[in-house]
Amino acid sequence: MNHAPAILAASFLGPEGQGNHRTGLRPWPAPLDAALAQGDLGQFHWSTLFASDPARFARMDLMSRFGLAAVELLGAGLETWPAERRDRAGVCVETGAGSLAADVSFLHTPRASLFTYTLPSTVLGEICIHYRLRGPMLCLMTGAASTPGSVQEAVQWLERGEAGACLCLRCEVADAPTTAKLPEFPRADWHAAALLLGRPDAGQWSRPLEIDSIVPLCRSVLGSAGRATHGEHRHPDRWL
Amino acid sequence: MLPQPNPSAPTPPEPVAFAGCGVVTALGAGTEPLQRALDANTGGLTARPQLACRGYQSVVAGFVPEAFFDSARAAHPAHADARAFLLAAEAIQQAERHAGAWLGTVPPERRGLVLATTKADIEALENLLAGRPCSPAARRHVQPARLAADLAAGARVRGPVQCVSVACVSGLLAIQQGARLIQRGQADLVYVAGVDLVSHFVLAGFSTLKSLEPDGCRPFDRARAGLTLGEGAGAVVLARPGLCGGAGVFLSGWGSSNDANHLTGPSRDGSGLALAITRALAAAAAAPESIDYIHVHGTGTPYNDAMESLAIRAVFGRRVPPFSSTKGILGHTLGAAGVIETIVCLLAFQARRLPGTPRLRERDPSVPDALLAAPQPAPALRRVLKINCGFAGTNAALLLEHP
């Protein structure tokens, strides 16, 4: 059996709520909902989405916290995967704002613990450390005319055998203090969206997701693939 | 003759050719001053005492000479304060000229560009937040993707454009991406450029980590104590071999991995880097004993150099090929390092001479004795491995081949 790559799980966090392909979008609990809606992202606590405190969560920058949370929200059980599978699990991140919030904080108050997070790829490292993933990785800075995106890259990795599974993550986290300091930068709602791509198997991942069902959740990470025809199941390799 | 793909690999790749290169470093613009410094095994790192009042751990770095920026600003007046753009645009133009006239036959829609950078024009962000003047061009380039877009426009690229930012492996991953774009049929040629600046931001940042060597780095030295920053840009033109004559150096394999261990420190056993190397060798169907030379990351920090020594011993066993680090000439150019140091490898093929490890006084006994202190002739150079490592546990490897 050699199924083509497909989306196996999807998740989303944003001002309007959080959820995955099973739960759909759920509102944040009060009073966190008001804080997040206003861009006060520091109010997000690990207990909202994690069963136990991920190591160093409180020291992470916002991008790492929300990126890690999006992957956890997939419910993929990555921490239970055998080592061989995790060795071949890739991570592809795309972001426009990148580490801008951490950059601004660092310039204001230079600290070693903060400098570590002034790279857009640090979220990738936090994900790999937390779930012990050692496959190929990439972080794409998106913006004007940046193509192809993370999903297209992941499909290629899977089809070429460079990875056995792949996490695609879109992370845009610029909090209110950052955008206030840089008014000329386009303001976008913060959010993180994650996809798990792989080959359907006989077990937990036997049913690939229909793209139309996840476009409302994960439009930003789906990119051009999100322009699905209503009611038509799209196979990843037909998005390119 | 082209290197032959491995038919038993999951997807036999078509080798991609390096068709041209260009560089701007602490030695100035062009590959000639770089080659002279490699031959002399010295040069490039300078001190700027005027920075001492800022409290940085070191004021020694691989600074690009101001004379370069003076002439570059004359050519790009709208980008006078956009140093990252000036560096990368010059490197791309050099690579175009080096590639030759055939490049003009490739329509813009079949050209791609991949930019590697960790902080793009971070100086513009510093100026904005401090209320200092900042041109619209520099302000745009705070966002790395916009820097990539402007460079693509200057190079008449209307095909795919990507911007890769994965710490100090950005350059090697960008080259991998350029090759992927060609192998997928999305482009016939791809400019791959890498650029980063020695700015207040990075000097302050690495100073907070206390990872700078005050007097200049000494990779693999017994007394090494830290890295030295560098700035610059490198650019290569990747192309289908049929477009550029089919001769020269090819990219025949690559690999990457994550240590999954620590954000700033490499894994203690080097297994992550060994995995990236092994993947690159497997992709090219190359046995470890077929590697003639390794250009390592070699920053000069105690942990990095120790980890790399373990990694190459793990892969190559007792038959470690000659290896060296050139960060003692150029400094650590961060996101640009992978591209600039790949160009160092291309120059090694051209000159049939392996670079040494500048500023080395006494090899650390734990480092394999295949470390080259001085340049060495290599008349039969065929396969070169290029490796880099970076923050967040990232590792990448390229296999370059001259059939």
Side-chain angles (χ1 to χ4, degrees), chain A residues 144-159:
Chain A
S146 292
T147 58
S150 61
V151 171
Q152 292 166 315
E153 294 296 336
V155 168
Q156 293 291 326
W157 290 359
L158 292 166
E159 292 188 334

PDB file of all heavy atoms in Angstrom, chain A residues 144-159:
ATOM      1  N   ALA A 144       5.718  39.452   0.048  1.00  0.00           N
ATOM      2  CA  ALA A 144       5.485  39.775  -1.347  1.00  0.00           C
ATOM      3  C   ALA A 144       5.954  38.647  -2.252  1.00  0.00           C
ATOM      4  O   ALA A 144       7.125  38.324  -2.298  1.00  0.00           O
ATOM      5  CB  ALA A 144       6.244  41.058  -1.708  1.00  0.00           C
ATOM      6  N   ALA A 145       5.026  38.017  -2.923  1.00  0.00           N
ATOM      7  CA  ALA A 145       5.336  37.053  -3.987  1.00  0.00           C
ATOM      8  C   ALA A 145       6.234  35.916  -3.532  1.00  0.00           C
ATOM      9  O   ALA A 145       7.168  35.544  -4.213  1.00  0.00           O
ATOM     10  CB  ALA A 145       5.979  37.769  -5.178  1.00  0.00           C
ATOM     11  N   SER A 146       5.990  35.384  -2.360  1.00  0.00           N
ATOM     12  CA  SER A 146       6.814  34.264  -1.899  1.00  0.00           C
ATOM     13  C   SER A 146       6.113  32.957  -2.204  1.00  0.00           C
ATOM     14  O   SER A 146       5.051  32.674  -1.679  1.00  0.00           O
ATOM     15  CB  SER A 146       7.044  34.364  -0.391  1.00  0.00           C
ATOM     16  OG  SER A 146       7.849  35.452  -0.084  1.00  0.00           O
ATOM     17  N   THR A 147       6.679  32.183  -3.052  1.00  0.00           N
ATOM     18  CA  THR A 147       6.130  30.892  -3.437  1.00  0.00           C
ATOM     19  C   THR A 147       7.280  29.920  -3.605  1.00  0.00           C
ATOM     20  O   THR A 147       8.368  30.324  -3.963  1.00  0.00           O
ATOM     21  CB  THR A 147       5.374  30.997  -4.780  1.00  0.00           C
ATOM     22  OG1 THR A 147       6.275  31.489  -5.796  1.00  0.00           O
ATOM     23  CG2 THR A 147       4.210  31.955  -4.659  1.00  0.00           C
ATOM     24  N   PRO A 148       7.081  28.650  -3.549  1.00  0.00           N
ATOM     25  CA  PRO A 148       5.940  27.950  -2.984  1.00  0.00           C
ATOM     26  C   PRO A 148       5.934  27.999  -1.454  1.00  0.00           C
ATOM     27  O   PRO A 148       6.895  28.410  -0.844  1.00  0.00           O
ATOM     28  CB  PRO A 148       6.134  26.522  -3.472  1.00  0.00           C
ATOM     29  CG  PRO A 148       7.382  26.494  -4.277  1.00  0.00           C
ATOM     30  CD  PRO A 148       8.087  27.786  -4.112  1.00  0.00           C
ATOM     31  N   GLY A 149       4.851  27.535  -0.834  1.00  0.00           N
ATOM     32  CA  GLY A 149       4.726  27.598   0.614  1.00  0.00           C
ATOM     33  C   GLY A 149       5.023  26.273   1.270  1.00  0.00           C
ATOM     34  O   GLY A 149       5.474  25.314   0.641  1.00  0.00           O
ATOM     35  N   SER A 150       4.749  26.234   2.589  1.00  0.00           N
ATOM     36  CA  SER A 150       5.158  25.084   3.389  1.00  0.00           C
ATOM     37  C   SER A 150       4.448  23.806   2.962  1.00  0.00           C
ATOM     38  O   SER A 150       5.062  22.727   2.971  1.00  0.00           O
ATOM     39  CB  SER A 150       4.912  25.354   4.872  1.00  0.00           C
ATOM     40  OG  SER A 150       3.543  25.577   5.129  1.00  0.00           O
ATOM     41  N   VAL A 151       3.189  23.881   2.588  1.00  0.00           N
ATOM     42  CA  VAL A 151       2.470  22.662   2.221  1.00  0.00           C
ATOM     43  C   VAL A 151       3.058  22.065   0.952  1.00  0.00           C
ATOM     44  O   VAL A 151       3.263  20.851   0.841  1.00  0.00           O
ATOM     45  CB  VAL A 151       0.962  22.942   2.052  1.00  0.00           C
ATOM     46  CG1 VAL A 151       0.258  21.739   1.451  1.00  0.00           C
ATOM     47  CG2 VAL A 151       0.347  23.294   3.396  1.00  0.00           C
ATOM     48  N   GLN A 152       3.349  22.917  -0.020  1.00  0.00           N
ATOM     49  CA  GLN A 152       3.948  22.408  -1.259  1.00  0.00           C
ATOM     50  C   GLN A 152       5.308  21.789  -0.990  1.00  0.00           C
ATOM     51  O   GLN A 152       5.662  20.754  -1.564  1.00  0.00           O
ATOM     52  CB  GLN A 152       4.060  23.541  -2.274  1.00  0.00           C
ATOM     53  CG  GLN A 152       2.704  24.021  -2.765  1.00  0.00           C
ATOM     54  CD  GLN A 152       2.792  25.341  -3.486  1.00  0.00           C
ATOM     55  OE1 GLN A 152       3.453  26.277  -3.029  1.00  0.00           O
ATOM     56  NE2 GLN A 152       2.135  25.445  -4.625  1.00  0.00           N
ATOM     57  N   GLU A 153       6.078  22.410  -0.110  1.00  0.00           N
ATOM     58  CA  GLU A 153       7.387  21.840   0.222  1.00  0.00           C
ATOM     59  C   GLU A 153       7.218  20.484   0.910  1.00  0.00           C
ATOM     60  O   GLU A 153       7.901  19.521   0.592  1.00  0.00           O
ATOM     61  CB  GLU A 153       8.172  22.786   1.143  1.00  0.00           C
ATOM     62  CG  GLU A 153       8.561  24.095   0.506  1.00  0.00           C
ATOM     63  CD  GLU A 153       9.512  23.931  -0.659  1.00  0.00           C
ATOM     64  OE1 GLU A 153      10.221  22.906  -0.723  1.00  0.00           O
ATOM     65  OE2 GLU A 153       9.561  24.835  -1.517  1.00  0.00           O
ATOM     66  N   ALA A 154       6.287  20.424   1.847  1.00  0.00           N
ATOM     67  CA  ALA A 154       6.099  19.177   2.597  1.00  0.00           C
ATOM     68  C   ALA A 154       5.674  18.035   1.679  1.00  0.00           C
ATOM     69  O   ALA A 154       6.134  16.901   1.818  1.00  0.00           O
ATOM     70  CB  ALA A 154       5.050  19.389   3.688  1.00  0.00           C
ATOM     71  N   VAL A 155       4.785  18.333   0.745  1.00  0.00           N
ATOM     72  CA  VAL A 155       4.343  17.282  -0.187  1.00  0.00           C
ATOM     73  C   VAL A 155       5.533  16.753  -0.973  1.00  0.00           C
ATOM     74  O   VAL A 155       5.681  15.539  -1.181  1.00  0.00           O
ATOM     75  CB  VAL A 155       3.250  17.831  -1.132  1.00  0.00           C
ATOM     76  CG1 VAL A 155       2.986  16.865  -2.280  1.00  0.00           C
ATOM     77  CG2 VAL A 155       1.973  18.089  -0.359  1.00  0.00           C
ATOM     78  N   GLN A 156       6.407  17.674  -1.385  1.00  0.00           N
ATOM     79  CA  GLN A 156       7.597  17.247  -2.134  1.00  0.00           C
ATOM     80  C   GLN A 156       8.525  16.401  -1.272  1.00  0.00           C
ATOM     81  O   GLN A 156       9.083  15.403  -1.731  1.00  0.00           O
ATOM     82  CB  GLN A 156       8.347  18.474  -2.651  1.00  0.00           C
ATOM     83  CG  GLN A 156       7.587  19.256  -3.716  1.00  0.00           C
ATOM     84  CD  GLN A 156       7.480  18.492  -5.023  1.00  0.00           C
ATOM     85  OE1 GLN A 156       8.377  17.752  -5.398  1.00  0.00           O
ATOM     86  NE2 GLN A 156       6.374  18.661  -5.721  1.00  0.00           N
ATOM     87  N   TRP A 157       8.713  16.805  -0.018  1.00  0.00           N
ATOM     88  CA  TRP A 157       9.553  16.013   0.873  1.00  0.00           C
ATOM     89  C   TRP A 157       9.013  14.595   0.986  1.00  0.00           C
ATOM     90  O   TRP A 157       9.769  13.618   0.962  1.00  0.00           O
ATOM     91  CB  TRP A 157       9.597  16.631   2.275  1.00  0.00           C
ATOM     92  CG  TRP A 157      10.332  17.924   2.390  1.00  0.00           C
ATOM     93  CD1 TRP A 157      10.978  18.596   1.397  1.00  0.00           C
ATOM     94  CD2 TRP A 157      10.469  18.712   3.556  1.00  0.00           C
ATOM     95  NE1 TRP A 157      11.509  19.754   1.890  1.00  0.00           N
ATOM     96  CE2 TRP A 157      11.227  19.853   3.208  1.00  0.00           C
ATOM     97  CE3 TRP A 157      10.041  18.559   4.883  1.00  0.00           C
ATOM     98  CZ2 TRP A 157      11.555  20.845   4.132  1.00  0.00           C
ATOM     99  CZ3 TRP A 157      10.368  19.540   5.798  1.00  0.00           C
ATOM    100  CH2 TRP A 157      11.116  20.668   5.423  1.00  0.00           C
ATOM    101  N   LEU A 158       7.705  14.477   1.137  1.00  0.00           N
ATOM    102  CA  LEU A 158       7.094  13.160   1.301  1.00  0.00           C
ATOM    103  C   LEU A 158       7.210  12.345   0.018  1.00  0.00           C
ATOM    104  O   LEU A 158       7.523  11.153   0.050  1.00  0.00           O
ATOM    105  CB  LEU A 158       5.628  13.320   1.710  1.00  0.00           C
ATOM    106  CG  LEU A 158       5.404  13.903   3.104  1.00  0.00           C
ATOM    107  CD1 LEU A 158       3.952  14.340   3.291  1.00  0.00           C
ATOM    108  CD2 LEU A 158       5.783  12.891   4.169  1.00  0.00           C
ATOM    109  N   GLU A 159       6.973  12.986  -1.103  1.00  0.00           N
ATOM    110  CA  GLU A 159       6.999  12.246  -2.367  1.00  0.00           C
ATOM    111  C   GLU A 159       8.416  11.829  -2.754  1.00  0.00           C
ATOM    112  O   GLU A 159       8.609  10.806  -3.410  1.00  0.00           O
ATOM    113  CB  GLU A 159       6.353  13.073  -3.476  1.00  0.00           C
ATOM    114  CG  GLU A 159       4.846  13.239  -3.267  1.00  0.00           C
ATOM    115  CD  GLU A 159       4.141  13.883  -4.443  1.00  0.00           C
ATOM    116  OE1 GLU A 159       4.799  14.641  -5.186  1.00  0.00           O
ATOM    117  OE2 GLU A 159       2.928  13.623  -4.606  1.00  0.00           O
TER     118      GLU A 159
END
